[in-house]
Amino acid sequence: MAKKGYPVRFIICVYIICCLVRKFDEIGIEIINTLELWAGVLVPSLFPYMVLSQYITSSGMLSILKPIKIIVMKLFSISESGADVYLCSLVSGYPSGAVCVRELYNSGEIDKKEAERLVQFTNNAGALFVISAIGSTMLGCTKDGVAIYIIQNLSAMIFGFISSLFSPKNNPLLCRTTVRSKPLIKCCSDSVDTMLKICGYLICVTVVGSIAIMTLKASPYFNGQYETIAKCGVYMILEITKCVQGLSALEHTPVVFALICGAVSFGGVSVILQIKSCLPDDFETKKLVAARVCQGAISFVLGYAYEFVSEPCVGCKSENIATIASLALCALIFVGSLILKSNRIRNN
């Protein structure tokens, strides 16, 4: 007996195959562009950081940052090993955080609950990719790239802090009990395997995205005026790079900048699949997806607030009031969370 959902999946697969046969030239060009993007942008901006983050996390080098690690451990209610992953995630791009979490989980240094929590807020876009590729190249402004980089890490920090309020009781000052050492060659080979997986997911997402856009164009209700917006909408769900490329072509407004910030934090289906591929099969996907969506929403609000502060919108009182209300709500949630956490620590 066929399992529930199999007929729908089968029809979708047949439709994709038919589109590949009929529109091979168009889809082939998109695939080649994706491969060029992977080789020219993602490999140089991800691979070195991926190798170094694994090596640094496994070697225990971050013990020299003990005072900072204690703050991180208390803030997020995580172990010392988890603090290593978080600090590395501030520089390295996704899915480096997932790879490091997997290594810690497999070695028994963190339990499953902490591993699942760490994965939710330690997988951000790399500094080089955001500042150079997105900021300097796509947006033509390094300052915007730096702002997006700070905003995505701030949203991850806020989410990680709030999630710590609902996490099981941990001993945040617990030091690692095992000493692990991963050779640099092994870090390189594992990173190569991860980069190849990323390439495969990017190709799959590109094919699905191209077919989705072709299907929209073929619809009698499709308006050519909104083609760019439709592409951005499709790729905002599927893949970050093409989404940001499309958004950067639009007029630079607070909403567009906020959407870019949200897209970078969310990452799309491609990033979620990349992270999931680096984790054990029994890790929950729903929590990961929910975490990415929440961080995307936080980054959207912070991105809009940044544009509002840096370039106030003259004569847009309703937008200004909405922005101030959103910021006030975020501040109340953060302060309320801080009070709750302080009370919980005091009670324990």
Side-chain angles (χ1 to χ4, degrees):
M1 182 177 177
K3 291 186 178 180
K4 186 179 180 180
Y6 275 12
V8 176
R9 296 178 193 176
F10 178 75
I11 292 172
I12 292 174
C13 289
V14 171
Y15 179 70
I16 291 174
I17 292 171
C18 293
C19 290
L20 283 169
V21 172
R22 293 186 57 190
K23 302 288 185 179
F24 176 77
D25 293 338
E26 296 179 38
I27 298 175
I29 292 173
E30 292 295 327
I31 292 174
I32 292 173
N33 292 336
T34 298
L35 289 173
E36 290 176 350
L37 174 70
W38 174 79
V41 176
L42 297 183
V43 171
S45 65
L46 285 181
F47 183 75
Y49 292 102
M50 198 173 291
V51 174
L52 289 173
S53 62
Q54 288 186 59
Y55 185 69
I56 291 172
T57 305
S58 66
S59 64
M61 290 182 186
L62 290 176
S63 58
I64 62 175
L65 301 177
K66 187 73 174 181
I68 299 175
K69 287 169 65 176
I70 290 175
I71 296 173
V72 172
M73 292 155 68
K74 287 184 176 180
L75 183 65
F76 301 120
S77 296
I78 55 179
S79 63
E80 184 179 358
S81 298
D84 289 347
V85 177
Y86 175 77
L87 291 175
C88 285
S89 73
L90 297 177
V91 180
S92 58
Y94 32 60
S96 298
V99 175
C100 293
V101 168
R102 180 191 64 198
E103 297 296 325
L104 294 176
Y105 177 70
N106 289 339
S107 65
E109 296 195 36
I110 57 176
D111 59 19
K112 183 181 176 182
K113 290 182 178 179
E114 182 178 354
E116 288 184 329
R117 274 194 60 226
L118 281 170
V119 167
Q120 293 170 11
F121 63 94
T122 60
N123 286 280
N124 303 310
L128 183 61
F129 173 70
V130 176
I131 297 173
S132 179
I134 294 179
S136 300
T137 304
M138 297 182 191
L139 300 179
C141 180
T142 305
K143 177 186 172 184
D144 284 345
V146 173
I148 294 170
Y149 171 71
I150 294 173
I151 286 169
Q152 70 146 356
N153 282 289
L154 186 58
S155 68
M157 184 189 76
I158 292 172
F159 180 86
F161 174 76
I162 293 175
S163 70
S164 69
L165 300 174
F166 307 100
S167 64
K169 183 179 177 182
N170 283 324
N171 181 4
L173 298 179
L174 179 66
C175 294
R176 61 167 56 93
T177 56
T178 59
V179 178
R180 61 198 184 285
S181 180
K182 190 175 181 181
L184 186 60
I185 294 178
K186 182 72 165 96
C187 293
C188 290
S189 62
D190 288 349
S191 298
V192 168
D193 181 62
T194 303
M195 289 304 305
L196 291 175
K197 287 180 180 178
I198 291 174
C199 180
Y201 284 124
L202 284 174
I203 291 174
C204 291
V205 167
T206 297
V207 170
V208 173
S210 300
I211 292 174
I213 292 169
M214 290 177 184
T215 304
L216 287 174
K217 286 182 179 180
S219 171
Y221 305 102
F222 182 78
N223 190 332
Q225 275 183 307
Y226 304 108
E227 182 174 347
T228 302
I229 297 176
K231 286 182 179 180
C232 291
V234 169
Y235 283 113
M236 184 170 288
I237 298 172
L238 296 177
E239 202 270 320
I240 172 180
T241 310
K242 290 183 179 295
C243 171
V244 175
Q245 281 179 334
L247 289 171
S248 62
L250 301 175
E251 181 183 357
H252 188 94
T253 63
V255 174
V256 170
F257 183 79
L259 285 172
I260 292 174
C261 292
V264 171
S265 286
F266 174 55
V269 173
S270 176
V271 167
I272 293 172
L273 291 175
Q274 292 167 31
I275 295 172
K276 181 62 179 174
S277 70
C278 300
L279 300 173
D281 294 336
D282 58 341
F283 276 42
E284 289 190 39
T285 305
K286 290 181 180 179
K287 290 183 179 179
L288 175 61
V289 174
R292 305 301 307 182
V293 172
C294 289
Q295 289 174 63
I298 295 171
S299 288
F300 178 86
V301 173
L302 294 176
Y304 192 92
Y306 168 79
E307 285 290 288
F308 169 73
V309 172
S310 60
E311 296 181 8
C313 181
V314 180
C316 298
K317 294 183 179 179
S318 61
E319 291 187 9
N320 292 348
I321 292 172
T323 303
I324 294 171
S326 299
L327 288 175
L329 180 61
C330 288
L332 284 172
I333 293 173
F334 187 75
V335 172
S337 302
L338 186 61
I339 294 171
L340 285 173
K341 183 159 188 175
S342 299
N343 290 335
R344 194 179 78 166
I345 293 173
R346 194 180 299 112
N347 293 333
N348 291 334

